[in-house]
Amino acid sequence: MFVFRGRRGDLLKCLWCDGLGMSLYVKRLERGRFIWPSPASGAVSISAAQLAYLLDAIDWRNPQQTWRPQAAG
């Protein structure tokens, strides 16, 4: 799985290969930014738990749930 963040930090794209093909998942935050680990050599390896925090827009350095919309649509 490859995960990319947009320049503003509110967009996340996940590129995943399952053996049958490639899938692209996109998530955009209405408010706030995704907390991104600082890269040492251009690429960062994170654990499955850190990825789950990242996708839920929770700061993996200090796990606290951030703002969530009250209603969708």
Side-chain angles (χ1 to χ4, degrees), residues 48-73:
Q50 287 173 326
L51 178 62
Y53 279 145
L54 183 66
L55 293 175
D56 285 337
I58 298 173
D59 186 351
W60 54 271
R61 300 168 298 183
N62 183 18
Q64 294 178 356
Q65 192 147 359
T66 57
W67 176 83
R68 284 210 178 281
Q70 297 297 324

PDB file of all heavy atoms in Angstrom, residues 48-73:
ATOM      1  N   ALA A  48       0.494  -0.700  11.040  1.00  0.00           N
ATOM      2  CA  ALA A  48      -0.940  -0.768  10.727  1.00  0.00           C
ATOM      3  C   ALA A  48      -1.748   0.093  11.680  1.00  0.00           C
ATOM      4  O   ALA A  48      -2.728   0.731  11.277  1.00  0.00           O
ATOM      5  CB  ALA A  48      -1.409  -2.223  10.784  1.00  0.00           C
ATOM      6  N   ALA A  49      -1.346   0.151  12.947  1.00  0.00           N
ATOM      7  CA  ALA A  49      -2.054   0.984  13.922  1.00  0.00           C
ATOM      8  C   ALA A  49      -1.894   2.467  13.584  1.00  0.00           C
ATOM      9  O   ALA A  49      -2.858   3.239  13.670  1.00  0.00           O
ATOM     10  CB  ALA A  49      -1.536   0.708  15.324  1.00  0.00           C
ATOM     11  N   GLN A  50      -0.692   2.878  13.177  1.00  0.00           N
ATOM     12  CA  GLN A  50      -0.473   4.273  12.796  1.00  0.00           C
ATOM     13  C   GLN A  50      -1.279   4.619  11.549  1.00  0.00           C
ATOM     14  O   GLN A  50      -1.818   5.721  11.435  1.00  0.00           O
ATOM     15  CB  GLN A  50       1.010   4.537  12.555  1.00  0.00           C
ATOM     16  CG  GLN A  50       1.827   4.571  13.817  1.00  0.00           C
ATOM     17  CD  GLN A  50       3.313   4.675  13.531  1.00  0.00           C
ATOM     18  OE1 GLN A  50       3.805   4.134  12.540  1.00  0.00           O
ATOM     19  NE2 GLN A  50       4.022   5.349  14.402  1.00  0.00           N
ATOM     20  N   LEU A  51      -1.397   3.683  10.603  1.00  0.00           N
ATOM     21  CA  LEU A  51      -2.214   3.920   9.408  1.00  0.00           C
ATOM     22  C   LEU A  51      -3.681   4.076   9.781  1.00  0.00           C
ATOM     23  O   LEU A  51      -4.371   4.945   9.253  1.00  0.00           O
ATOM     24  CB  LEU A  51      -2.036   2.782   8.409  1.00  0.00           C
ATOM     25  CG  LEU A  51      -2.880   2.889   7.140  1.00  0.00           C
ATOM     26  CD1 LEU A  51      -2.501   4.138   6.350  1.00  0.00           C
ATOM     27  CD2 LEU A  51      -2.729   1.647   6.290  1.00  0.00           C
ATOM     28  N   ALA A  52      -4.165   3.275  10.711  1.00  0.00           N
ATOM     29  CA  ALA A  52      -5.560   3.388  11.160  1.00  0.00           C
ATOM     30  C   ALA A  52      -5.801   4.751  11.799  1.00  0.00           C
ATOM     31  O   ALA A  52      -6.827   5.389  11.533  1.00  0.00           O
ATOM     32  CB  ALA A  52      -5.888   2.274  12.144  1.00  0.00           C
ATOM     33  N   TYR A  53      -4.870   5.213  12.635  1.00  0.00           N
ATOM     34  CA  TYR A  53      -4.991   6.556  13.215  1.00  0.00           C
ATOM     35  C   TYR A  53      -4.974   7.617  12.123  1.00  0.00           C
ATOM     36  O   TYR A  53      -5.756   8.560  12.149  1.00  0.00           O
ATOM     37  CB  TYR A  53      -3.855   6.831  14.193  1.00  0.00           C
ATOM     38  CG  TYR A  53      -4.034   6.247  15.566  1.00  0.00           C
ATOM     39  CD1 TYR A  53      -2.944   5.777  16.285  1.00  0.00           C
ATOM     40  CD2 TYR A  53      -5.277   6.161  16.171  1.00  0.00           C
ATOM     41  CE1 TYR A  53      -3.088   5.246  17.552  1.00  0.00           C
ATOM     42  CE2 TYR A  53      -5.434   5.627  17.425  1.00  0.00           C
ATOM     43  CZ  TYR A  53      -4.341   5.174  18.119  1.00  0.00           C
ATOM     44  OH  TYR A  53      -4.486   4.656  19.365  1.00  0.00           O
ATOM     45  N   LEU A  54      -4.082   7.459  11.162  1.00  0.00           N
ATOM     46  CA  LEU A  54      -3.964   8.426  10.076  1.00  0.00           C
ATOM     47  C   LEU A  54      -5.261   8.516   9.279  1.00  0.00           C
ATOM     48  O   LEU A  54      -5.746   9.613   8.991  1.00  0.00           O
ATOM     49  CB  LEU A  54      -2.801   8.026   9.167  1.00  0.00           C
ATOM     50  CG  LEU A  54      -2.475   8.943   8.006  1.00  0.00           C
ATOM     51  CD1 LEU A  54      -1.964  10.274   8.524  1.00  0.00           C
ATOM     52  CD2 LEU A  54      -1.435   8.301   7.112  1.00  0.00           C
ATOM     53  N   LEU A  55      -5.866   7.379   8.954  1.00  0.00           N
ATOM     54  CA  LEU A  55      -7.106   7.373   8.179  1.00  0.00           C
ATOM     55  C   LEU A  55      -8.284   7.921   8.968  1.00  0.00           C
ATOM     56  O   LEU A  55      -9.246   8.426   8.382  1.00  0.00           O
ATOM     57  CB  LEU A  55      -7.412   5.963   7.682  1.00  0.00           C
ATOM     58  CG  LEU A  55      -6.424   5.408   6.650  1.00  0.00           C
ATOM     59  CD1 LEU A  55      -6.769   3.970   6.322  1.00  0.00           C
ATOM     60  CD2 LEU A  55      -6.401   6.264   5.407  1.00  0.00           C
ATOM     61  N   ASP A  56      -8.252   7.818  10.294  1.00  0.00           N
ATOM     62  CA  ASP A  56      -9.314   8.385  11.134  1.00  0.00           C
ATOM     63  C   ASP A  56      -9.034   9.819  11.535  1.00  0.00           C
ATOM     64  O   ASP A  56      -9.771  10.393  12.333  1.00  0.00           O
ATOM     65  CB  ASP A  56      -9.501   7.533  12.392  1.00  0.00           C
ATOM     66  CG  ASP A  56     -10.228   6.243  12.110  1.00  0.00           C
ATOM     67  OD1 ASP A  56     -10.953   6.190  11.098  1.00  0.00           O
ATOM     68  OD2 ASP A  56     -10.077   5.291  12.894  1.00  0.00           O
ATOM     69  N   ALA A  57      -7.946  10.406  10.995  1.00  0.00           N
ATOM     70  CA  ALA A  57      -7.542  11.793  11.277  1.00  0.00           C
ATOM     71  C   ALA A  57      -7.260  12.008  12.758  1.00  0.00           C
ATOM     72  O   ALA A  57      -7.577  13.034  13.328  1.00  0.00           O
ATOM     73  CB  ALA A  57      -8.579  12.783  10.764  1.00  0.00           C
ATOM     74  N   ILE A  58      -6.656  11.004  13.391  1.00  0.00           N
ATOM     75  CA  ILE A  58      -6.261  11.095  14.790  1.00  0.00           C
ATOM     76  C   ILE A  58      -4.746  11.267  14.829  1.00  0.00           C
ATOM     77  O   ILE A  58      -4.020  10.570  14.113  1.00  0.00           O
ATOM     78  CB  ILE A  58      -6.681   9.829  15.569  1.00  0.00           C
ATOM     79  CG1 ILE A  58      -8.198   9.686  15.538  1.00  0.00           C
ATOM     80  CG2 ILE A  58      -6.161   9.875  16.996  1.00  0.00           C
ATOM     81  CD1 ILE A  58      -8.701   8.386  16.135  1.00  0.00           C
ATOM     82  N   ASP A  59      -4.261  12.196  15.628  1.00  0.00           N
ATOM     83  CA  ASP A  59      -2.822  12.426  15.748  1.00  0.00           C
ATOM     84  C   ASP A  59      -2.184  11.190  16.380  1.00  0.00           C
ATOM     85  O   ASP A  59      -2.408  10.894  17.549  1.00  0.00           O
ATOM     86  CB  ASP A  59      -2.572  13.664  16.605  1.00  0.00           C
ATOM     87  CG  ASP A  59      -1.115  14.060  16.657  1.00  0.00           C
ATOM     88  OD1 ASP A  59      -0.264  13.291  16.173  1.00  0.00           O
ATOM     89  OD2 ASP A  59      -0.831  15.140  17.183  1.00  0.00           O
ATOM     90  N   TRP A  60      -1.397  10.452  15.627  1.00  0.00           N
ATOM     91  CA  TRP A  60      -0.805   9.203  16.109  1.00  0.00           C
ATOM     92  C   TRP A  60       0.242   9.438  17.192  1.00  0.00           C
ATOM     93  O   TRP A  60       0.597   8.537  17.914  1.00  0.00           O
ATOM     94  CB  TRP A  60      -0.211   8.402  14.950  1.00  0.00           C
ATOM     95  CG  TRP A  60       0.766   9.180  14.130  1.00  0.00           C
ATOM     96  CD1 TRP A  60       0.476   9.951  13.045  1.00  0.00           C
ATOM     97  CD2 TRP A  60       2.165   9.288  14.325  1.00  0.00           C
ATOM     98  NE1 TRP A  60       1.608  10.535  12.559  1.00  0.00           N
ATOM     99  CE2 TRP A  60       2.667  10.141  13.333  1.00  0.00           C
ATOM    100  CE3 TRP A  60       3.051   8.754  15.252  1.00  0.00           C
ATOM    101  CZ2 TRP A  60       4.009  10.463  13.232  1.00  0.00           C
ATOM    102  CZ3 TRP A  60       4.392   9.089  15.152  1.00  0.00           C
ATOM    103  CH2 TRP A  60       4.857   9.921  14.152  1.00  0.00           C
ATOM    104  N   ARG A  61       0.748  10.685  17.314  1.00  0.00           N
ATOM    105  CA  ARG A  61       1.731  10.996  18.357  1.00  0.00           C
ATOM    106  C   ARG A  61       1.045  11.164  19.711  1.00  0.00           C
ATOM    107  O   ARG A  61       1.630  10.905  20.749  1.00  0.00           O
ATOM    108  CB  ARG A  61       2.488  12.275  18.011  1.00  0.00           C
ATOM    109  CG  ARG A  61       3.253  12.175  16.697  1.00  0.00           C
ATOM    110  CD  ARG A  61       3.733  13.508  16.259  1.00  0.00           C
ATOM    111  NE  ARG A  61       2.562  14.378  16.038  1.00  0.00           N
ATOM    112  CZ  ARG A  61       2.638  15.608  15.591  1.00  0.00           C
ATOM    113  NH1 ARG A  61       3.798  16.140  15.331  1.00  0.00           N
ATOM    114  NH2 ARG A  61       1.553  16.318  15.403  1.00  0.00           N
ATOM    115  N   ASN A  62      -0.210  11.630  19.704  1.00  0.00           N
ATOM    116  CA  ASN A  62      -0.992  11.847  20.916  1.00  0.00           C
ATOM    117  C   ASN A  62      -2.437  11.465  20.582  1.00  0.00           C
ATOM    118  O   ASN A  62      -3.235  12.325  20.222  1.00  0.00           O
ATOM    119  CB  ASN A  62      -0.895  13.314  21.357  1.00  0.00           C
ATOM    120  CG  ASN A  62      -1.633  13.572  22.638  1.00  0.00           C
ATOM    121  OD1 ASN A  62      -1.950  12.651  23.378  1.00  0.00           O
ATOM    122  ND2 ASN A  62      -1.928  14.825  22.906  1.00  0.00           N
ATOM    123  N   PRO A  63      -2.799  10.181  20.684  1.00  0.00           N
ATOM    124  CA  PRO A  63      -4.096   9.715  20.190  1.00  0.00           C
ATOM    125  C   PRO A  63      -5.299  10.333  20.900  1.00  0.00           C
ATOM    126  O   PRO A  63      -5.628   9.978  22.019  1.00  0.00           O
ATOM    127  CB  PRO A  63      -4.057   8.207  20.433  1.00  0.00           C
ATOM    128  CG  PRO A  63      -2.657   7.859  20.716  1.00  0.00           C
ATOM    129  CD  PRO A  63      -1.998   9.099  21.204  1.00  0.00           C
ATOM    130  N   GLN A  64      -5.924  11.286  20.240  1.00  0.00           N
ATOM    131  CA  GLN A  64      -7.181  11.879  20.682  1.00  0.00           C
ATOM    132  C   GLN A  64      -8.018  12.103  19.442  1.00  0.00           C
ATOM    133  O   GLN A  64      -7.514  12.584  18.434  1.00  0.00           O
ATOM    134  CB  GLN A  64      -6.952  13.221  21.385  1.00  0.00           C
ATOM    135  CG  GLN A  64      -6.204  13.097  22.682  1.00  0.00           C
ATOM    136  CD  GLN A  64      -5.968  14.460  23.311  1.00  0.00           C
ATOM    137  OE1 GLN A  64      -6.294  15.492  22.745  1.00  0.00           O
ATOM    138  NE2 GLN A  64      -5.389  14.452  24.484  1.00  0.00           N
ATOM    139  N   GLN A  65      -9.268  11.760  19.526  1.00  0.00           N
ATOM    140  CA  GLN A  65     -10.141  11.918  18.383  1.00  0.00           C
ATOM    141  C   GLN A  65     -10.351  13.397  18.090  1.00  0.00           C
ATOM    142  O   GLN A  65     -10.572  14.204  18.979  1.00  0.00           O
ATOM    143  CB  GLN A  65     -11.484  11.240  18.615  1.00  0.00           C
ATOM    144  CG  GLN A  65     -12.286  11.135  17.370  1.00  0.00           C
ATOM    145  CD  GLN A  65     -13.138   9.900  17.342  1.00  0.00           C
ATOM    146  OE1 GLN A  65     -13.112   9.110  18.247  1.00  0.00           O
ATOM    147  NE2 GLN A  65     -13.881   9.735  16.292  1.00  0.00           N
ATOM    148  N   THR A  66     -10.284  13.753  16.797  1.00  0.00           N
ATOM    149  CA  THR A  66     -10.466  15.141  16.387  1.00  0.00           C
ATOM    150  C   THR A  66     -11.924  15.393  16.044  1.00  0.00           C
ATOM    151  O   THR A  66     -12.784  14.530  16.202  1.00  0.00           O
ATOM    152  CB  THR A  66      -9.574  15.447  15.165  1.00  0.00           C
ATOM    153  OG1 THR A  66      -9.908  14.534  14.118  1.00  0.00           O
ATOM    154  CG2 THR A  66      -8.109  15.313  15.505  1.00  0.00           C
ATOM    155  N   TRP A  67     -12.214  16.556  15.519  1.00  0.00           N
ATOM    156  CA  TRP A  67     -13.558  16.969  15.170  1.00  0.00           C
ATOM    157  C   TRP A  67     -14.179  16.018  14.144  1.00  0.00           C
ATOM    158  O   TRP A  67     -13.531  15.566  13.227  1.00  0.00           O
ATOM    159  CB  TRP A  67     -13.506  18.379  14.607  1.00  0.00           C
ATOM    160  CG  TRP A  67     -14.816  18.882  14.127  1.00  0.00           C
ATOM    161  CD1 TRP A  67     -15.792  19.449  14.878  1.00  0.00           C
ATOM    162  CD2 TRP A  67     -15.312  18.875  12.789  1.00  0.00           C
ATOM    163  NE1 TRP A  67     -16.864  19.794  14.113  1.00  0.00           N
ATOM    164  CE2 TRP A  67     -16.587  19.453  12.814  1.00  0.00           C
ATOM    165  CE3 TRP A  67     -14.809  18.434  11.589  1.00  0.00           C
ATOM    166  CZ2 TRP A  67     -17.354  19.599  11.678  1.00  0.00           C
ATOM    167  CZ3 TRP A  67     -15.580  18.585  10.455  1.00  0.00           C
ATOM    168  CH2 TRP A  67     -16.831  19.169  10.514  1.00  0.00           C
ATOM    169  N   ARG A  68     -15.448  15.704  14.332  1.00  0.00           N
ATOM    170  CA  ARG A  68     -16.218  14.905  13.371  1.00  0.00           C
ATOM    171  C   ARG A  68     -17.493  15.667  13.037  1.00  0.00           C
ATOM    172  O   ARG A  68     -18.102  16.282  13.892  1.00  0.00           O
ATOM    173  CB  ARG A  68     -16.597  13.562  13.981  1.00  0.00           C
ATOM    174  CG  ARG A  68     -15.469  12.576  14.036  1.00  0.00           C
ATOM    175  CD  ARG A  68     -16.104  11.192  13.931  1.00  0.00           C
ATOM    176  NE  ARG A  68     -15.187  10.106  13.926  1.00  0.00           N
ATOM    177  CZ  ARG A  68     -14.473   9.709  12.891  1.00  0.00           C
ATOM    178  NH1 ARG A  68     -14.512  10.375  11.795  1.00  0.00           N
ATOM    179  NH2 ARG A  68     -13.690   8.671  12.957  1.00  0.00           N
ATOM    180  N   PRO A  69     -17.929  15.623  11.776  1.00  0.00           N
ATOM    181  CA  PRO A  69     -19.180  16.294  11.420  1.00  0.00           C
ATOM    182  C   PRO A  69     -20.375  15.639  12.120  1.00  0.00           C
ATOM    183  O   PRO A  69     -20.383  14.434  12.341  1.00  0.00           O
ATOM    184  CB  PRO A  69     -19.275  16.128   9.894  1.00  0.00           C
ATOM    185  CG  PRO A  69     -18.338  15.032   9.562  1.00  0.00           C
ATOM    186  CD  PRO A  69     -17.310  14.962  10.647  1.00  0.00           C
ATOM    187  N   GLN A  70     -21.371  16.444  12.471  1.00  0.00           N
ATOM    188  CA  GLN A  70     -22.561  15.932  13.147  1.00  0.00           C
ATOM    189  C   GLN A  70     -23.493  15.203  12.187  1.00  0.00           C
ATOM    190  O   GLN A  70     -24.110  14.220  12.544  1.00  0.00           O
ATOM    191  CB  GLN A  70     -23.317  17.086  13.817  1.00  0.00           C
ATOM    192  CG  GLN A  70     -22.505  17.767  14.908  1.00  0.00           C
ATOM    193  CD  GLN A  70     -22.177  16.819  16.047  1.00  0.00           C
ATOM    194  OE1 GLN A  70     -22.967  15.978  16.409  1.00  0.00           O
ATOM    195  NE2 GLN A  70     -20.971  16.952  16.579  1.00  0.00           N
ATOM    196  N   ALA A  71     -23.603  15.686  10.952  1.00  0.00           N
ATOM    197  CA  ALA A  71     -24.480  15.063   9.968  1.00  0.00           C
ATOM    198  C   ALA A  71     -23.810  15.105   8.600  1.00  0.00           C
ATOM    199  O   ALA A  71     -23.067  16.021   8.302  1.00  0.00           O
ATOM    200  CB  ALA A  71     -25.818  15.805   9.906  1.00  0.00           C
ATOM    201  N   ALA A  72     -24.081  14.120   7.792  1.00  0.00           N
ATOM    202  CA  ALA A  72     -23.534  14.065   6.449  1.00  0.00           C
ATOM    203  C   ALA A  72     -24.640  14.310   5.451  1.00  0.00           C
ATOM    204  O   ALA A  72     -25.742  13.819   5.608  1.00  0.00           O
ATOM    205  CB  ALA A  72     -22.878  12.717   6.201  1.00  0.00           C
ATOM    206  N   GLY A  73     -24.292  15.030   4.392  1.00  0.00           N
ATOM    207  CA  GLY A  73     -25.213  15.233   3.286  1.00  0.00           C
ATOM    208  C   GLY A  73     -26.208  16.228   3.576  1.00  0.00           C
ATOM    209  O   GLY A  73     -27.061  16.771   3.230  1.00  0.00           O
TER     210      GLY A  73
END
